[in-house]
Every structure is written in structure tokens, then in C-alpha cells.
């Protein structure tokens, strides 16, 4: 009965009924592109321009820069494992995945800004510049893992329907592609023709701090962890209240009347 009523509420939500629940993946599935667009402002920016910055601006030798990239890639492997364990242990009022890009959006973009700024503020080619390069790029990799891994896992918590998951994945790829095209055809020509590469990269990454944080906050605002068969587990109080209203009673349903697999849910008035 609970499952039948839940589908009825979804149907009313799709048709605009006042008592219905609107399935998040059906309403703003396009918003899933914004998170990947934000993440790639940091990731693709470093992939495309960081080596040039290290060698031409900071004065790090090509061999030292190559070693740096190798060691950071190894570090990223451990950072991904750490991020995955953090996600597994997390459950908040915002859900399991969404808090990471709520609180991690600004740090990722600020660390991208620092990666393209701090090493250039010390003497050209010095050991301090190399140390700052390791520090900023390593912290960026960790912060990126803490945002991107939960974001990549979000689709499984938004819906259990394969067609909706496919759409979510497609819009993620669109967000990535749009960002890379923008960097290649808008940002790259400006940086290539700049007489002051440090200044150009600083201004660009500073602008990306605002844009990237706004895109991640947009994703957090409109995406919900409410999979088809798990909505009343993720948002039990809301569903129970609507269930009670539909039944014409003043309190949530008794847990004894729920299916066995839902007994763990604690309904509150």
C-alpha cells in the first residue's frame, strides 16, 4: 500500500497536483551538468595549462615538473580511497553525497587559484617555488577527490531507473564537454597571447572561483538524494506527513503497518 501510494504521489507531482511529490531526477535533471562543469574548471584548467605555468612562469625544470605530476598522480590514488571512505561514513541532514559539494566547492576553486598563483610569488626556479607547487597541487587533488567522487556517485541516490541514470550521466558529460571547449577556444587563446602569463592565469582562476562555486551550489540546491525505491528512507518525515494527509489522519502511519523492509525508518510527527 505504501509503494502504491508513493507512485500515486509521484504521478500527481508529474501532473502538477498539489499533493504530489516531484521526482527530482525528472524535474531538474539538466542541473547535473553544472557540477561537472564546476569540477572541470579546476581539473581541466590544471590539465591544460599547469605544465606551461610551472615551466614558463615559476621556472621549474621540465624534469622536476614531470616528477611532480607523477608523484601527485600517485597521491591522488590514495586521496580517492580516502574520499570514498569519507563518503561511506557520512550521513547528514543534506544526505550522504550533497554535503561534499556544498562545503567543498569553494575550497576546490580557491585551491585551483592558489595552484596558479602562490608558486609564482617566490623567486623564479627556487626550491620554495617547487615546494609550493607540490603543496598547492597536492591539496587541490585531495579537495577535488572529496567533491568529484561523491558527485559521481550521486546519480545512484537520485533514481533507481536506468533511463534516468542514463540521462544524468549524459548531462554530466555535456557539462564536462562544454567546459573543455570553453577552455580551449576562449581561455587558451587569451593566455597564449598574453604578455604577462602570471597575471592572465591569476585573473582567470579568480573568476573561476566565483563561477565554479556558484555552479556547485546550484547542483546542491536542486539535486536530491531521493531514489525511486528509497525516497521514504531518505526523506521519511516528508513522505510520512504526505502519507498521513492522504489517509486523512493527524499522525504518521504506524510502523507496524509498513512493509518489513521499511521497519528501520523512524517516522516523526
Amino acid at each position: 500500500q505504501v509503494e502504491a501510494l508513493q507512485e500515486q504521489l509521484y504521478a500527481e507531482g508529474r501532473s502538477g497536483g498539489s499533493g504530489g511529490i516531484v521526482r527530482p531526477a525528472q524535474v531538474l535533471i539538466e542541473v547535473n551538468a553544472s557540477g561537472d562543469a564546476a569540477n572541470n574548471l579546476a581539473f581541466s584548467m590544471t590539465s591544460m595549462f599547469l605544465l606551461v605555468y610551472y615551466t614558463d612562469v615559476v621556472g621549474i625544470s621540465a624534469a622536476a615538473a614531470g616528477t611532480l605530476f607523477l608523484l601527485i598522480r600517485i597521491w591522488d590514488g590514495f586521496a580517492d580511497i580516502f574520499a570514498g571512505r569519507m563518503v561511506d561514513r557520512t550521513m547528514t541532514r543534506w544526505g550522504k553525497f550533497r554535503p561534499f559539494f556544498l562545503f567543498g566547492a569553494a575550497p576546490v576553486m580557491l585551491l585551483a587559484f592558489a595552484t596558479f598563483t602562490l608558486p609564482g610569488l617566490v623567486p623564479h626556479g627556487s626550491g620554495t617555488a617547487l615546494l609550493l607547487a607540490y603543496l598547492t597541487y597536492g591539496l587541490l587533488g585531495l579537495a577535488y577527490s572529496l567533491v568529484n567522487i561523491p558527485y559521481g556517485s550521486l546519480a545512484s541516490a537520485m533514481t533507481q531507473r536506468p533511463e534516468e541514470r542514463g540521462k544524468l550521466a549524459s548531462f554530466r558529460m555535456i557539462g564536462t564537454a562544454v567546459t573543455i571547449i570553453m577552455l580551449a577556444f576562449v581561455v587558451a587563446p587569451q593566455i597564449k597571447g598574453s604578455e604577462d602569463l602570471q597575471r592572465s592565469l591569476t585573473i582567470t582562476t579568480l573568476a573561476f572561483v566565483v563561477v565554479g562555486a556558484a555552479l556547485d551550489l546550484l547542483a546542491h540546491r536542486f539535486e536530491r538524494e531521493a531514489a525511486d525505491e528509497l525516497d521514504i528512507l531518505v526523506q521519511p518525515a516528508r513522505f510520512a506527513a504526505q502519507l498521513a494527509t492522504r489517509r486523512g489522519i493527524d499522525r504518521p502511519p504506524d510502523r507496524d503497518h509498513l512493509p518489513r523492509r521499511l521497519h528501520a525508518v523512524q517516522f516523526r510527527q
Side-chain angles (χ1 to χ4, degrees):
Q1 292 177 349
V2 171
E3 292 172 349
L5 182 54
Q6 186 182 26
E7 286 303 318
Q8 182 180 350
L9 290 169
Y10 276 138
E12 292 180 8
R14 288 193 294 269
S15 62
S18 60
I21 300 174
V22 180
R23 194 190 310 276
Q26 292 180 328
V27 178
L28 290 168
I29 197 168
E30 296 85 356
V31 175
N32 203 50
S34 66
D36 254 68
N39 293 337
N40 275 277
L41 287 176
F43 180 78
S44 296
M45 188 72 184
T46 56
S47 299
M48 297 173 69
F49 306 114
L50 192 56
L51 179 60
V52 175
Y53 173 69
Y54 281 159
T55 55
D56 294 4
V57 177
V58 182
I60 298 175
S61 68
T67 303
L68 184 155
F69 283 120
L70 173 63
L71 294 178
I72 293 297
R73 291 285 78 79
I74 296 173
W75 160 257
D76 285 346
F78 291 100
D80 289 348
I81 295 172
F82 173 75
R85 290 184 175 178
M86 288 290 293
V87 173
D88 286 340
R89 297 174 183 177
T90 299
M91 179 53 69
T92 71
R93 67 181 214 176
W94 297 287
K96 190 177 186 67
F97 305 109
R98 291 167 63 234
F100 287 92
F101 45 92
L102 170 63
F103 298 107
V108 168
M109 302 315 300
L110 287 171
L111 282 168
F113 169 73
T115 300
F116 282 97
T117 303
L118 293 183
L121 299 179
V122 297
H124 187 81
S126 65
T128 304
L130 182 60
L131 178 61
L132 284 173
Y134 270 100
L135 182 62
T136 54
Y137 194 27
L139 289 175
L140 174 61
L142 176 60
Y144 179 81
S145 294
L146 286 170
V147 171
N148 197 55
I149 286 180
Y151 194 78
S153 305
L154 182 63
S156 63
M158 289 179 67
T159 178
Q160 294 293 308
R161 298 190 175 187
E163 64 273 15
E164 290 182 342
R165 287 188 177 183
K167 290 179 181 178
L168 288 167
S170 297
F171 276 99
R172 281 193 64 198
M173 296 301 101
I174 290 173
T176 299
V178 168
T179 304
I180 293 175
I181 291 172
M182 183 272 293
L183 290 174
F185 290 98
V186 178
V187 176
Q190 293 182 357
I191 292 177
K192 182 179 180 181
S194 175
E195 296 181 357
D196 188 344
L197 189 56
Q198 176 66 79
R199 181 175 180 274
S200 296
L201 289 169
T202 298
I203 293 174
T204 301
T205 52
L206 186 59
F208 286 170
V209 170
V210 178
V211 176
L215 288 172
D216 266 328
L217 291 176
L218 179 70
H220 176 271
R221 171 65 180 83
F222 290 106
E223 293 185 320
R224 292 290 182 271
E225 299 175 29
D228 278 3
E229 298 174 0
L230 300 176
D231 283 344
I232 57 178
L233 294 174
V234 178
Q235 300 179 10
R238 177 179 159 201
F239 181 80
Q242 290 180 296
L243 181 61
T245 301
R246 295 289 297 177
R247 288 185 171 182
I249 57 179
D250 295 328
R251 61 182 179 81
D254 228 21
R255 47 187 288 180
D256 292 337
H257 296 119
L258 295 175
R260 181 178 303 239
R261 67 187 181 89
L262 300 178
H263 280 183
V265 179
Q266 298 294 323
F267 290 103
R268 298 178 182 176
Q269 291 188 358

